[in-house]
Amino acid sequence: MGEQEKIRVLSVDDHPLLSEGIATIINSQPDMELISQASSGTEAIQRYREHQPDVTLMDLRLPDLSGIDAMIAIRTEFPEARIIMLTTFEGDVEIHRALQAGARAYLLKNMPPSEIVDVIRQVRAGKKRVPPEIAAQLAEHMGDDELTAREVEVLRKVAGGNRNRDIADLLFISEETVKVHVKHIMDKLGAKDRTQAIAIAVRRGIIEL
Amino acid sequence: MGEQEKIRVLSVDDHPLLSEGIATIINSQPDMELISQASSGTEAIQRYREHQPDVTLMDLRLPDLSGIDAMIAIRTEFPEARIIMLTTFEGDVEIHRALQAGARAYLLKNMPPSEIVDVIRQVRAGKKRVPPEIAAQLAEHMGDDELTAREVEVLRKVAGGNRNRDIADLLFISEETVKVHVKHIMDKLGAKDRTQAIAIAVRRGIIEL
DNA sequence: GTGTTCATACCACGAACGGGGTATTGAAAA
DNA sequence: TTTTCAATACCCCGTTCGTGGTATGAACAC
């Protein structure tokens, strides 16, 4: 394999320690080279424009934009961009959104380096790859209705310990409407009460605390 | 500074990527050397016995034991062991426990490497060090009563969406007693209702979801 | 243009929750 | 030994929650 055929990788992560680890792993592969790094979403977009890497490793959680937004921005400009989401586990909502938005693979930060570089090679070859444990998570809630934006908004207020009456005042709607939203939320999440709804929503990554 | 005075560091982390980053950072310091690594609690204890490092970097969350338990085991055998907890943020309960159990410092994985190596030097010199943002977290709830074991147990059932009646049956106590526990939980956490109690408890690391 | 989804709103009712108080027991600490 | 605290238990009572049903207007898709 000639030098000029090395896989050119861009890494985007705001954890310096992780970046360092990724750099070491990538550069220890004979067929890869890390051409640039970024530690924020806007920087990622700039670096992509500059280098147009073969594969981009992107953290989901970044200081400015979310990794998904950064990916969308890049893919709007470069629709063929091959981006791998690399993150600590964050519930299946974000995973689903990332794959919808065109991520070629979704990897966890605790995976062995061998698997990570393997996936980079596959993605560069045009394949997609989602590890089984994540695919299982996705399949688990495939048919589930997603919460609407309004429902998520209500859910956050619920998590704040607000009564229906208070939420109604905060959102300038009637208490009855809040009750309808809460009911729909519980139905969709399969929760027995509002408390479990919060627990489930946090696990799925629908809301953060 | 002579070669024999290098700070001998043991790193314990089950994330290979992180371990790699730590190794790179440590070994790039002229006054430090990474003498061994472990990826589990029991392995950490063995490695400590073998090498008796000057400073140990320990992840809080490990496959077998918790980082705190591993630290306690090591410090029982080697009371002067200098151990730094290095972790992604996990609520202040674990931080507090780690410092109680004798951790010399508590660092976050997203800190710049310069700060990490700096703290390693200070700890080796016998100092303790907790970064301001963490110290603030600790001070925030200093006077707070901690939840009792029973209360935490009840809290978990609450998070599962159980009614007081159900929790009573699960724990073989009366519903009235459950209500007393729930009331105490809400009082101690400063929660307006059981739902907010879950939100607060998760944020503080009292329970996981 | 018809159907679907979402957000809105109201009503009624029983179940669950949260606040107040009091009290007994056992264990741990002072 | 006395005190303190945790866990247990019971009562009363007002508030909130969750469930059922029905309905309307706007937006969007087919």
Side-chain angles (χ1 to χ4, degrees):
Chain A
M1 178 180 296
E3 276 295 317
Q4 65 277 33
E5 288 162 20
K6 278 193 176 180
I7 304 178
R8 299 167 58 253
V9 179
L10 166 64
S11 152
V12 185
D13 203 304
D14 63 323
H15 281 45
L17 236 42
L18 236 336
S19 291
E20 201 61 57
I22 292 169
T24 305
I25 298 301
I26 300 285
N27 285 328
S28 73
Q29 302 299 309
D31 59 339
M32 295 183 189
E33 90 185 292
L34 186 71
I35 50 163
S36 187
Q37 299 192 63
S39 58
S40 76
T42 49
E43 195 191 345
I45 298 169
Q46 290 180 323
R47 296 287 161 274
Y48 195 98
R49 283 205 195 100
E50 287 170 26
H51 301 98
Q52 300 192 26
D54 297 320
V55 176
T56 303
L57 283 176
M58 174 99 66
D59 190 7
L60 193 56
R61 173 154 317 211
L62 295 169
D64 48 356
L65 308 171
S66 84
I68 293 179
D69 291 339
M71 174 171 69
I72 291 172
I74 291 173
R75 283 177 52 82
T76 301
E77 207 170 327
F78 306 94
E80 75 298 340
R82 290 170 183 170
I83 298 175
I84 298 173
M85 281 291 165
L86 178 64
T87 170
T88 59
F89 182 72
E90 326 244 359
D92 42 318
V93 169
E94 295 302 309
I95 301 173
H96 193 251
R97 282 226 295 258
L99 294 175
Q100 286 290 10
R104 296 303 184 93
Y106 200 105
L107 294 179
L108 299 175
K109 286 179 176 174
N110 60 5
M111 287 178 168
S114 59
E115 187 157 0
I116 292 172
V117 296
D118 193 51
V119 169
I120 291 175
R121 289 191 190 96
Q122 293 188 35
V123 165
R124 140 72 173 245
K127 292 179 190 160
K128 296 190 178 188
R129 178 74 199 288
V130 175
E133 60 232 78
I134 292 216
Q137 290 279 347
L138 280 177
E140 183 112 21
H141 306 293
M142 268 306 285
D144 294 12
D145 288 327
E146 285 180 16
L147 297 192
T148 66
R150 194 56 157 175
E151 284 162 357
V152 173
E153 196 172 1
V154 170
L155 190 56
R156 283 189 221 282
K157 306 293 184 198
V158 171
N162 295 290
R163 298 169 307 168
N164 292 336
R165 171 79 252 142
D166 298 332
I167 299 173
D169 292 344
L170 288 167
L171 300 181
F172 306 108
I173 56 181
S174 92
E175 179 177 352
E176 300 304 320
T177 302
V178 174
K179 290 172 86 168
V180 172
H181 284 312
V182 172
K183 175 154 188 53
H184 288 161
I185 291 166
M186 292 190 299
D187 287 347
K188 288 181 180 179
L189 297 182
K192 285 189 280 189
D193 61 24
R194 56 178 51 213
T195 304
Q196 194 184 19
I198 297 302
I200 294 172
V202 170
R203 246 184 269 127
R204 300 226 188 130
I206 296 169
I207 59 171
E208 310 88 44
L209 294 179
Chain B
M1 181 179 297
E3 276 296 315
Q4 65 277 31
E5 290 164 18
K6 278 191 175 182
I7 304 177
R8 299 167 59 253
V9 179
L10 166 63
S11 150
V12 184
D13 203 305
D14 64 321
H15 280 46
L17 237 42
L18 236 335
S19 291
E20 199 61 57
I22 292 169
T24 305
I25 297 301
I26 300 285
N27 285 327
S28 73
Q29 302 299 308
D31 60 339
M32 295 182 189
E33 90 186 293
L34 186 72
I35 49 163
S36 187
Q37 300 192 64
S39 59
S40 75
T42 49
E43 195 192 346
I45 297 168
Q46 289 181 322
R47 296 288 161 274
Y48 195 97
R49 284 206 195 96
E50 287 170 25
H51 300 98
Q52 300 192 27
D54 298 319
V55 176
T56 303
L57 283 177
M58 174 98 68
D59 191 7
L60 193 56
R61 168 154 321 208
L62 296 168
D64 49 356
L65 308 170
S66 84
I68 293 179
D69 291 339
M71 174 171 69
I72 290 172
I74 291 173
R75 283 177 52 84
T76 302
E77 206 170 328
F78 306 94
E80 73 299 339
R82 290 170 182 168
I83 299 176
I84 299 172
M85 282 291 167
L86 179 63
T87 169
T88 58
F89 182 71
E90 326 245 357
D92 44 321
V93 170
E94 295 302 309
I95 301 173
H96 193 253
R97 283 225 296 260
L99 294 174
Q100 287 289 10
R104 296 304 183 92
Y106 200 105
L107 295 180
L108 298 176
K109 286 179 175 174
N110 61 7
M111 286 178 167
S114 59
E115 187 158 357
I116 293 172
V117 295
D118 191 50
V119 170
I120 291 175
R121 289 190 190 96
Q122 293 189 35
V123 166
R124 139 73 172 244
K127 294 179 189 160
K128 296 191 177 186
R129 178 74 199 288
V130 175
E133 60 232 80
I134 292 216
Q137 290 279 345
L138 280 177
E140 184 112 20
H141 307 293
M142 269 304 285
D144 295 13
D145 289 326
E146 286 180 16
L147 298 192
T148 66
R150 194 57 156 171
E151 283 163 356
V152 173
E153 197 172 0
V154 170
L155 191 55
R156 283 189 222 281
K157 306 294 185 198
V158 171
N162 294 292
R163 297 169 308 167
N164 293 336
R165 170 80 253 142
D166 297 333
I167 298 172
D169 292 344
L170 287 167
L171 300 181
F172 306 108
I173 56 181
S174 92
E175 179 177 352
E176 301 303 320
T177 302
V178 175
K179 290 172 82 168
V180 172
H181 285 312
V182 172
K183 173 156 188 54
H184 288 161
I185 291 167
M186 292 190 301
D187 286 347
K188 287 180 180 179
L189 296 181
K192 284 188 281 190
D193 61 25
R194 55 176 55 214
T195 304
Q196 194 184 19
I198 297 302
I200 294 172
V202 170
R203 247 184 268 129
R204 299 227 188 131
I206 297 169
I207 60 172
E208 308 87 49
L209 295 178

